[in-house]
Amino acid sequence: MRAHVRKLLQDTHDRLLAKMQSEALPLIISAPHAQTKIPEVFRKRIDLGEYEIWQMSDPFSDETCEHPHAFAIEIGKNHRTLGDFNRDKSAKNLFPTHDFYGRKIWRAKCELTDREKQDLLDEFWTSYRKKLKKHFRALVKTGAKKILFVDHHNTAIDHPIKGGEYAPPIIIGNFGEHKTGEEIDIPTTASKKTMKVFQAKLEKNLPSLTIEINKIYRGDSILRFVRDEIRPLFPGVKIQAVILEYNLNFIWNPLTHRRDRVAQKKLTTGINTAITELCEELI
């Protein structure tokens, strides 16, 4: 009986999923830094407090990335202190020793061992990319000839980021030139036209915010993965990949430690509407 019920539930789930995907946009979304918690086996070895650990993630990005018509959404399950798996395996800071504010992460003699690092890489770095590849394969099988991929992030502006600069309200990136999105030193992950259209759609739907192209953040490891390893698998499909980074402090007050759900809903709706309009223009 239990096996029969499980099969009915699975069949229902599969039918609903198939229906949703048949009505979906050619859109795949990724939120690799959404995890805010650390397993207890590691937590007791970390010198940061709970709020400091929370700060080292992209809080609420698992909610703000939710698009009602996305074909697939992949959300990271690994906390950044246990490996920033939106970095290449060769990156020096793949396993960080300090947080964004310069605070030491690990207690003395409690750092990750080489074996633990490898296990975490196998479980999260590799599997995340395999899941993304699976989503692309499934979407291409539906007949999609154009696909938009959005890598979704946020960052607080109570600390400087790259080069001591502070992030603008919203950044979109494609590894191209600042302001234009034009290809300069390395291949871009989305066309110049796509970047300008996306910027215009975001400005229309979030008129009070400044939208910068390739300002500070131009791209990331996952965009490179899509460009270098996924695109070649589907030569007949035009895949456009963009990083989106918004200011966390639009929805989180660092003074009161409270979330503004009204602002979060408005921000999410504005981003989603812009993405939908961009998809419709690309199709």
Short mmCIF file of all heavy atoms in Angstrom, two decimals, residues 148 170 172 193-211 213 244 266-283:
data_model
loop_
_atom_site.label_atom_id
_atom_site.label_comp_id
_atom_site.label_asym_id
_atom_site.label_seq_id
_atom_site.Cartn_x
_atom_site.Cartn_y
_atom_site.Cartn_z
N LEU A 148 18.02 31.95 -21.41
CA LEU A 148 18.59 32.98 -20.53
C LEU A 148 18.95 32.33 -19.20
O LEU A 148 18.13 31.65 -18.58
CB LEU A 148 17.60 34.11 -20.30
CG LEU A 148 18.05 35.21 -19.31
CD1 LEU A 148 19.26 35.96 -19.86
CD2 LEU A 148 16.90 36.18 -19.02
N ILE A 170 22.20 47.98 -8.12
CA ILE A 170 22.10 46.70 -8.82
C ILE A 170 23.18 46.65 -9.89
O ILE A 170 23.39 47.61 -10.64
CB ILE A 170 20.72 46.49 -9.47
CG1 ILE A 170 19.64 46.36 -8.39
CG2 ILE A 170 20.71 45.25 -10.36
CD1 ILE A 170 18.24 46.14 -8.94
N ILE A 172 24.57 44.22 -13.16
CA ILE A 172 24.43 43.08 -14.04
C ILE A 172 25.75 42.95 -14.81
O ILE A 172 26.37 43.95 -15.18
CB ILE A 172 23.24 43.20 -15.01
CG1 ILE A 172 23.28 44.52 -15.80
CG2 ILE A 172 21.93 43.10 -14.25
CD1 ILE A 172 22.19 44.65 -16.87
N LYS A 193 23.77 43.76 -26.68
CA LYS A 193 22.35 44.12 -26.80
C LYS A 193 21.55 43.58 -25.62
O LYS A 193 20.71 44.29 -25.04
CB LYS A 193 21.77 43.58 -28.10
CG LYS A 193 20.28 43.87 -28.26
CD LYS A 193 19.71 43.24 -29.53
CE LYS A 193 18.21 43.47 -29.61
NZ LYS A 193 17.62 42.84 -30.82
N THR A 194 21.81 42.33 -25.24
CA THR A 194 21.11 41.73 -24.11
C THR A 194 21.33 42.54 -22.84
O THR A 194 20.39 42.79 -22.07
CB THR A 194 21.58 40.28 -23.89
OG1 THR A 194 21.19 39.49 -25.01
CG2 THR A 194 20.96 39.69 -22.63
N MET A 195 22.56 42.97 -22.63
CA MET A 195 22.87 43.73 -21.41
C MET A 195 22.15 45.08 -21.39
O MET A 195 21.61 45.49 -20.36
CB MET A 195 24.39 43.94 -21.30
CG MET A 195 25.19 42.66 -21.19
SD MET A 195 24.68 41.60 -19.82
CE MET A 195 25.25 42.56 -18.43
N LYS A 196 22.13 45.76 -22.52
CA LYS A 196 21.46 47.06 -22.57
C LYS A 196 19.95 46.91 -22.42
O LYS A 196 19.29 47.72 -21.76
CB LYS A 196 21.81 47.77 -23.89
CG LYS A 196 23.28 48.10 -24.06
CD LYS A 196 23.83 48.97 -22.94
CE LYS A 196 23.35 50.39 -23.00
NZ LYS A 196 23.99 51.26 -21.98
N VAL A 197 19.39 45.86 -23.03
CA VAL A 197 17.94 45.62 -22.90
C VAL A 197 17.60 45.28 -21.45
O VAL A 197 16.62 45.79 -20.89
CB VAL A 197 17.47 44.50 -23.85
CG1 VAL A 197 16.03 44.11 -23.54
CG2 VAL A 197 17.60 44.94 -25.30
N PHE A 198 18.41 44.41 -20.82
CA PHE A 198 18.18 44.03 -19.43
C PHE A 198 18.27 45.26 -18.52
O PHE A 198 17.43 45.46 -17.63
CB PHE A 198 19.19 42.96 -19.01
CG PHE A 198 18.83 42.24 -17.73
CD1 PHE A 198 17.54 42.28 -17.21
CD2 PHE A 198 19.79 41.50 -17.06
CE1 PHE A 198 17.22 41.60 -16.03
CE2 PHE A 198 19.48 40.81 -15.88
CZ PHE A 198 18.19 40.86 -15.37
N GLN A 199 19.25 46.09 -18.75
CA GLN A 199 19.39 47.32 -17.96
C GLN A 199 18.15 48.20 -18.11
O GLN A 199 17.60 48.70 -17.11
CB GLN A 199 20.62 48.10 -18.42
CG GLN A 199 20.87 49.38 -17.63
CD GLN A 199 22.05 50.17 -18.19
OE1 GLN A 199 22.19 50.33 -19.41
NE2 GLN A 199 22.89 50.67 -17.30
N ALA A 200 17.67 48.35 -19.33
CA ALA A 200 16.49 49.18 -19.58
C ALA A 200 15.24 48.59 -18.92
O ALA A 200 14.42 49.33 -18.35
CB ALA A 200 16.27 49.33 -21.08
N LYS A 201 15.10 47.27 -18.96
CA LYS A 201 13.94 46.63 -18.33
C LYS A 201 13.99 46.79 -16.82
O LYS A 201 12.95 47.04 -16.17
CB LYS A 201 13.90 45.14 -18.69
CG LYS A 201 13.81 44.82 -20.17
CD LYS A 201 12.54 45.34 -20.82
CE LYS A 201 12.44 44.90 -22.26
NZ LYS A 201 11.26 45.49 -22.95
N LEU A 202 15.16 46.64 -16.22
CA LEU A 202 15.30 46.83 -14.78
C LEU A 202 15.01 48.28 -14.39
O LEU A 202 14.33 48.55 -13.39
CB LEU A 202 16.70 46.42 -14.32
CG LEU A 202 16.98 44.91 -14.29
CD1 LEU A 202 18.48 44.65 -14.17
CD2 LEU A 202 16.25 44.24 -13.11
N GLU A 203 15.52 49.21 -15.17
CA GLU A 203 15.29 50.64 -14.87
C GLU A 203 13.80 50.98 -14.99
O GLU A 203 13.29 51.79 -14.20
CB GLU A 203 16.11 51.50 -15.83
CG GLU A 203 17.61 51.48 -15.52
CD GLU A 203 18.44 52.21 -16.55
OE1 GLU A 203 17.94 52.43 -17.68
OE2 GLU A 203 19.59 52.56 -16.24
N LYS A 204 13.12 50.36 -15.92
CA LYS A 204 11.68 50.61 -16.09
C LYS A 204 10.88 50.06 -14.91
O LYS A 204 9.94 50.71 -14.42
CB LYS A 204 11.18 49.97 -17.39
CG LYS A 204 9.70 50.27 -17.68
CD LYS A 204 9.19 49.50 -18.89
CE LYS A 204 8.85 48.08 -18.50
NZ LYS A 204 8.11 47.36 -19.57
N ASN A 205 11.24 48.89 -14.44
CA ASN A 205 10.48 48.24 -13.37
C ASN A 205 10.94 48.60 -11.97
O ASN A 205 10.21 48.37 -11.01
CB ASN A 205 10.54 46.72 -13.58
CG ASN A 205 9.73 46.27 -14.77
OD1 ASN A 205 8.51 46.25 -14.73
ND2 ASN A 205 10.40 45.93 -15.87
N LEU A 206 12.15 49.15 -11.85
CA LEU A 206 12.66 49.63 -10.56
C LEU A 206 13.21 51.05 -10.78
O LEU A 206 14.41 51.29 -10.68
CB LEU A 206 13.76 48.69 -10.04
CG LEU A 206 13.30 47.26 -9.69
CD1 LEU A 206 14.52 46.35 -9.52
CD2 LEU A 206 12.45 47.26 -8.42
N PRO A 207 12.34 52.00 -11.09
CA PRO A 207 12.78 53.33 -11.55
C PRO A 207 13.56 54.13 -10.53
O PRO A 207 14.24 55.09 -10.90
CB PRO A 207 11.45 54.02 -11.91
CG PRO A 207 10.41 53.30 -11.11
CD PRO A 207 10.87 51.88 -11.05
N SER A 208 13.47 53.78 -9.25
CA SER A 208 14.20 54.56 -8.25
C SER A 208 15.64 54.08 -8.05
O SER A 208 16.40 54.67 -7.28
CB SER A 208 13.46 54.50 -6.91
OG SER A 208 13.34 53.15 -6.47
N LEU A 209 16.03 53.01 -8.76
CA LEU A 209 17.35 52.41 -8.55
C LEU A 209 18.26 52.62 -9.77
O LEU A 209 17.80 52.64 -10.91
CB LEU A 209 17.22 50.91 -8.27
CG LEU A 209 16.33 50.51 -7.09
CD1 LEU A 209 16.37 49.00 -6.91
CD2 LEU A 209 16.76 51.22 -5.81
N THR A 210 19.56 52.71 -9.49
CA THR A 210 20.56 52.80 -10.54
C THR A 210 21.02 51.39 -10.91
O THR A 210 21.35 50.59 -10.03
CB THR A 210 21.78 53.61 -10.07
OG1 THR A 210 21.35 54.93 -9.72
CG2 THR A 210 22.84 53.69 -11.15
N ILE A 211 21.04 51.10 -12.19
CA ILE A 211 21.46 49.78 -12.68
C ILE A 211 22.78 49.95 -13.43
O ILE A 211 22.84 50.66 -14.43
CB ILE A 211 20.41 49.16 -13.62
CG1 ILE A 211 18.99 49.34 -13.08
CG2 ILE A 211 20.76 47.71 -13.89
CD1 ILE A 211 18.72 48.69 -11.75
N ILE A 213 26.17 48.26 -15.44
CA ILE A 213 26.65 47.10 -16.19
C ILE A 213 28.15 46.93 -15.92
O ILE A 213 28.93 47.86 -16.12
CB ILE A 213 26.41 47.27 -17.70
CG1 ILE A 213 24.92 47.36 -18.01
CG2 ILE A 213 27.06 46.14 -18.50
CD1 ILE A 213 24.60 47.65 -19.47
N LEU A 244 23.53 38.83 -11.71
CA LEU A 244 22.75 39.93 -11.14
C LEU A 244 23.07 40.02 -9.65
O LEU A 244 22.97 39.04 -8.93
CB LEU A 244 21.26 39.71 -11.36
CG LEU A 244 20.34 40.84 -10.85
CD1 LEU A 244 19.13 41.00 -11.76
CD2 LEU A 244 19.87 40.59 -9.42
N LYS A 266 8.65 44.17 -3.51
CA LYS A 266 8.74 45.13 -4.61
C LYS A 266 10.00 44.88 -5.44
O LYS A 266 9.95 44.92 -6.68
CB LYS A 266 8.75 46.56 -4.04
CG LYS A 266 8.64 47.63 -5.11
CD LYS A 266 8.41 48.99 -4.48
CE LYS A 266 8.19 50.05 -5.55
NZ LYS A 266 7.91 51.38 -4.97
N LEU A 267 11.12 44.60 -4.76
CA LEU A 267 12.37 44.33 -5.46
C LEU A 267 12.26 43.04 -6.29
O LEU A 267 12.63 43.02 -7.47
CB LEU A 267 13.52 44.19 -4.45
CG LEU A 267 14.89 43.83 -5.03
CD1 LEU A 267 15.46 45.01 -5.79
CD2 LEU A 267 15.85 43.40 -3.92
N THR A 268 11.73 41.99 -5.67
CA THR A 268 11.60 40.71 -6.36
C THR A 268 10.68 40.83 -7.57
O THR A 268 10.99 40.31 -8.66
CB THR A 268 11.06 39.63 -5.40
OG1 THR A 268 11.94 39.54 -4.27
CG2 THR A 268 10.98 38.28 -6.09
N THR A 269 9.56 41.52 -7.40
CA THR A 269 8.62 41.70 -8.50
C THR A 269 9.26 42.48 -9.64
O THR A 269 9.10 42.14 -10.82
CB THR A 269 7.35 42.42 -8.01
OG1 THR A 269 6.72 41.64 -6.99
CG2 THR A 269 6.37 42.64 -9.16
N GLY A 270 9.99 43.53 -9.30
CA GLY A 270 10.66 44.34 -10.32
C GLY A 270 11.69 43.55 -11.10
O GLY A 270 11.76 43.62 -12.34
N ILE A 271 12.52 42.78 -10.38
CA ILE A 271 13.54 41.96 -11.04
C ILE A 271 12.87 40.90 -11.91
O ILE A 271 13.26 40.69 -13.07
CB ILE A 271 14.46 41.31 -9.99
CG1 ILE A 271 15.35 42.38 -9.34
CG2 ILE A 271 15.33 40.23 -10.63
CD1 ILE A 271 16.19 41.87 -8.18
N ASN A 272 11.86 40.21 -11.36
CA ASN A 272 11.20 39.15 -12.12
C ASN A 272 10.51 39.67 -13.37
O ASN A 272 10.55 39.03 -14.43
CB ASN A 272 10.18 38.43 -11.23
CG ASN A 272 10.83 37.41 -10.33
OD1 ASN A 272 11.98 37.04 -10.51
ND2 ASN A 272 10.09 36.95 -9.33
N THR A 273 9.87 40.83 -13.26
CA THR A 273 9.19 41.40 -14.43
C THR A 273 10.21 41.76 -15.50
O THR A 273 9.99 41.50 -16.70
CB THR A 273 8.38 42.64 -14.03
OG1 THR A 273 7.45 42.30 -12.99
CG2 THR A 273 7.61 43.20 -15.22
N ALA A 274 11.34 42.32 -15.08
CA ALA A 274 12.40 42.67 -16.03
C ALA A 274 12.95 41.42 -16.72
O ALA A 274 13.20 41.41 -17.93
CB ALA A 274 13.52 43.42 -15.32
N ILE A 275 13.15 40.35 -15.94
CA ILE A 275 13.64 39.09 -16.52
C ILE A 275 12.63 38.51 -17.51
O ILE A 275 12.99 38.06 -18.59
CB ILE A 275 13.95 38.08 -15.40
CG1 ILE A 275 15.20 38.52 -14.62
CG2 ILE A 275 14.16 36.68 -15.97
CD1 ILE A 275 15.50 37.67 -13.40
N THR A 276 11.35 38.54 -17.13
CA THR A 276 10.30 38.04 -18.03
C THR A 276 10.29 38.82 -19.34
O THR A 276 10.24 38.24 -20.42
CB THR A 276 8.92 38.15 -17.35
OG1 THR A 276 8.90 37.33 -16.19
CG2 THR A 276 7.81 37.70 -18.29
N GLU A 277 10.34 40.13 -19.25
CA GLU A 277 10.33 40.97 -20.45
C GLU A 277 11.57 40.73 -21.30
O GLU A 277 11.49 40.74 -22.54
CB GLU A 277 10.20 42.44 -20.05
CG GLU A 277 8.85 42.79 -19.44
CD GLU A 277 8.77 44.21 -18.92
OE1 GLU A 277 9.80 44.92 -18.93
OE2 GLU A 277 7.67 44.62 -18.52
N LEU A 278 12.71 40.51 -20.65
CA LEU A 278 13.94 40.22 -21.39
C LEU A 278 13.80 38.89 -22.11
O LEU A 278 14.15 38.78 -23.31
CB LEU A 278 15.13 40.19 -20.44
CG LEU A 278 16.48 39.80 -21.06
CD1 LEU A 278 16.88 40.77 -22.16
CD2 LEU A 278 17.56 39.72 -19.99
N CYS A 279 13.30 37.88 -21.42
CA CYS A 279 13.09 36.56 -22.05
C CYS A 279 12.17 36.68 -23.26
O CYS A 279 12.45 36.11 -24.33
CB CYS A 279 12.46 35.59 -21.04
SG CYS A 279 13.65 34.77 -19.97
N GLU A 280 11.08 37.40 -23.10
CA GLU A 280 10.11 37.53 -24.19
C GLU A 280 10.74 38.25 -25.40
O GLU A 280 10.40 37.95 -26.55
CB GLU A 280 8.88 38.28 -23.70
CG GLU A 280 8.05 37.44 -22.72
CD GLU A 280 6.94 38.22 -22.05
OE1 GLU A 280 6.97 39.49 -22.15
OE2 GLU A 280 6.06 37.61 -21.45
N GLU A 281 11.65 39.15 -25.13
CA GLU A 281 12.31 39.85 -26.23
C GLU A 281 13.36 38.98 -26.91
O GLU A 281 13.61 39.12 -28.11
CB GLU A 281 12.95 41.15 -25.71
CG GLU A 281 13.43 42.06 -26.82
CD GLU A 281 13.40 43.53 -26.41
OE1 GLU A 281 12.54 43.94 -25.62
OE2 GLU A 281 14.26 44.26 -26.92
N LEU A 282 13.96 38.07 -26.11
CA LEU A 282 14.99 37.20 -26.68
C LEU A 282 14.40 36.07 -27.50
O LEU A 282 15.05 35.57 -28.42
CB LEU A 282 15.83 36.59 -25.54
CG LEU A 282 16.73 37.55 -24.75
CD1 LEU A 282 17.42 36.80 -23.63
CD2 LEU A 282 17.76 38.20 -25.66
N ILE A 283 13.19 35.63 -27.16
CA ILE A 283 12.58 34.47 -27.83
C ILE A 283 12.29 34.78 -29.30
O ILE A 283 11.74 35.82 -29.60
CB ILE A 283 11.29 34.04 -27.12
CG1 ILE A 283 11.61 33.55 -25.70
CG2 ILE A 283 10.57 32.94 -27.88
CD1 ILE A 283 10.40 33.29 -24.86
#
